[in-house]
Amino acid sequence: CALAATVYLSLAGPAGLWEAAVLSAQKAAYLREKLIASGKFDPVFNGKFFREFAVRAKAGAEKVNRAAANAGFVGGYLLGRAHPALGDCLLLAVTEKRTKEEIDAFCERAVAAV
């Protein structure tokens, strides 16, 4: 794992790392906005974020994760496991590797589940 990371970092270089970071941030912001615009998710926090963000699923976080898994996606971390007051919330992450089509498909499944 350390060798793979070293190879990736050396091949990507500073410009490649910057590009990966920017793409991750943009794609995470895109998914967050789509989920919130659906009216079935609310933001948990309103501050800045990088590639991970928390949303409250109005019909339950576990339901969203089941629908995502059934469609072949990895869902979010159930925040209620660590913080009971956030029982209906998911921590979602998006990397530079996800395509717009994949993000849209995940969003479609997540919204349909709630």
Side-chain angles (χ1 to χ4, degrees):
C1 189
L3 177 59
T6 302
V7 170
Y8 173 78
L9 292 173
S10 65
L11 291 175
L17 281 177
W18 181 259
E19 181 181 356
V22 169
L23 287 172
S24 294
Q26 290 172 340
K27 291 176 180 190
Y30 174 75
L31 175 60
R32 182 178 184 268
E33 290 307 312
K34 279 193 71 131
L35 291 172
I36 293 168
S38 75
K40 296 186 176 188
F41 293 85
D42 291 320
V44 177
F45 307 107
N46 290 317
K48 294 180 182 181
F49 62 93
F50 174 47
R51 68 176 190 196
E52 296 178 336
F53 59 92
V55 289
R56 177 170 282 110
K58 292 182 178 180
E62 289 186 26
K63 193 173 180 183
V64 172
N65 272 356
R66 277 193 301 278
N70 289 338
F73 293 104
V74 175
Y77 175 73
L78 300 170
L79 287 171
R81 290 180 177 169
H83 303 283
L86 299 175
D88 55 351
C89 299
L90 289 165
L91 181 65
L92 296 169
V94 182
T95 69
E96 77 283 0
K97 293 181 179 184
R98 297 301 119 221
T99 66
K100 181 180 183 299
E101 292 77 20
E102 289 171 323
I103 295 168
D104 289 342
F106 175 85
C107 186
E108 182 180 313
R109 292 293 183 162
V111 168
V114 239

